[in-house]
Amino acid sequence: AIDYEELSSLAAKLPSLQGQLLSLMSKEVHVSHGMVGEYTAEHKIASFILGLSSRYQQRGYSATRFNLQMPRRDIANHLAMAPETVSRMFRRLMNDGVLDIQQTDLTITDMERLKALAGCASAA
């Protein structure tokens, strides 16, 4: 975590950092906007998990096992869904063998299936 004022001050001094931050924010807005559309709840959750997986991997962490730091209600707000729907979708993905979730520890057990649910690839 970094203080917003410190980040803002640093970005003002480093135009390249400011450009990177704007680019990242733009991508997030684009992805979030796409999540509000006519997608199914399963598609939204799968895409959200894949996005987290990708970000963890880009930072040098595991792409298949990570800490789900957002509470279910925050995930629901982010995806324009009811918290109950988020919990139901997580339960369904666990029952289908796509995910394993223990408290906040999330493991993707079937990446190809998760990608297929998100519309990124066909299931093998």
Side-chain angles (χ1 to χ4, degrees):
I2 185 168
D3 181 66
Y4 175 79
E5 294 300 323
E6 290 178 37
L7 182 62
S8 181
S9 175
L10 189 58
K13 294 174 187 172
L14 300 168
S16 62
L17 175 61
Q18 189 174 35
Q20 286 282 29
L21 290 172
L22 288 173
S23 176
L24 285 171
M25 289 185 341
S26 175
K27 285 180 187 176
E28 284 299 314
V29 167
H30 179 72
V31 168
S32 293
H33 181 69
M35 289 296 182
V36 177
E38 296 295 319
Y39 295 108
T40 65
E42 195 170 61
H43 182 274
K44 289 180 181 182
I45 291 288
S47 296
F48 174 75
I49 297 298
L50 280 177
L52 288 175
S53 171
S54 175
R55 284 188 290 256
Y56 275 110
Q57 186 174 31
Q58 288 172 357
R59 289 168 178 80
Y61 297 105
S62 172
T64 57
R65 185 170 184 205
F66 46 86
N67 191 333
L68 190 60
Q69 297 176 351
M70 291 174 73
R72 303 295 192 263
R73 83 176 168 286
D74 291 347
I75 294 170
N77 286 337
H78 178 70
L79 299 175
M81 297 167 56
E84 297 82 10
T85 304
V86 171
S87 294
R88 191 170 49 252
M89 290 299 103
F90 278 148
R91 214 171 15 261
R92 180 182 297 167
L93 292 171
M94 287 175 54
N95 290 341
D96 290 348
V98 177
L99 300 177
D100 181 45
I101 304 172
Q102 301 298 322
Q103 303 288 355
T104 60
D105 185 45
L106 183 143
T107 303
I108 300 170
T109 53
D110 189 342
M111 183 65 84
E112 291 307 310
R113 178 93 189 277
L114 186 65
K115 287 179 180 179
L117 292 170
C120 295
S122 59

